[in-house]
Amino acid sequence: IDGHQENPTLTYEEIKILGEIILKCRNLRSSNSVFDFMMVTKGSYGGFLNKTSKIWDNVAPQIIVEEAGGVYTDFFGEKIDYTTPLQKVSENFTCCVAAPDLHEQLQKIIHS
């Protein structure tokens, strides 16, 4: 989670979501790298959330996760748009990655 100095309210909203996730999980880990995606694919991690990344951080892991039966969306559960990729190099990308049932549970927490 990024600290949003320009908008502290956003930071407090993100902390609330993180708190709800922590209350409902057994363990929280993150290397903030492709390792986390692969641990989800392997079944060692239940899910992975990221709010700051670039397009190139998402394309290949999404293919691998989905081929393994996982769900890969943006943080809010929407399909990620990779069209016109060269125009999106400076955009921020988010993700919510998990097995289907857990992805649904994470989305309920995020949207509550």
Side-chain angles (χ1 to χ4, degrees):
I1 294 181
D2 281 335
H4 301 281
Q5 299 300 322
E6 76 290 350
N7 185 358
T9 302
L10 183 56
T11 299
Y12 288 118
E13 290 171 8
E14 289 176 343
I15 292 298
K16 183 179 176 193
I17 292 170
L18 180 60
E20 289 299 317
I21 291 169
I22 290 170
L23 287 170
K24 293 179 172 61
C25 74
R26 180 169 35 131
N27 205 330
L28 181 67
R29 297 180 182 154
S30 177
S31 69
N32 197 31
S33 72
V34 72
F35 176 79
D36 296 321
F37 296 112
M38 298 308 104
M39 293 301 279
V40 171
T41 301
K42 181 180 171 185
S44 295
Y45 288 4
F48 177 67
L49 297 164
N50 192 336
K51 293 208 60 188
T52 48
S53 65
K54 296 295 183 188
I55 189 169
W56 53 81
D57 296 319
N58 290 278
V59 177
Q62 182 170 0
I63 293 167
I64 296 167
V65 167
E66 289 179 347
E67 286 292 319
V71 178
Y72 198 116
T73 65
D74 74 4
F75 189 81
F76 297 100
E78 300 297 322
K79 182 178 176 182
I80 299 174
D81 179 11
Y82 296 121
T83 59
T84 62
L86 295 178
Q87 295 174 5
K88 296 181 179 179
V89 295
S90 61
E91 286 184 26
N92 182 55
F93 281 74
T94 65
C95 67
C96 177
V97 181
D101 290 345
L102 185 53
H103 189 276
E104 184 178 331
Q105 291 175 37
L106 286 168
Q107 287 303 306
K108 286 179 184 175
I109 293 169
I110 290 166
H111 289 281
S112 64

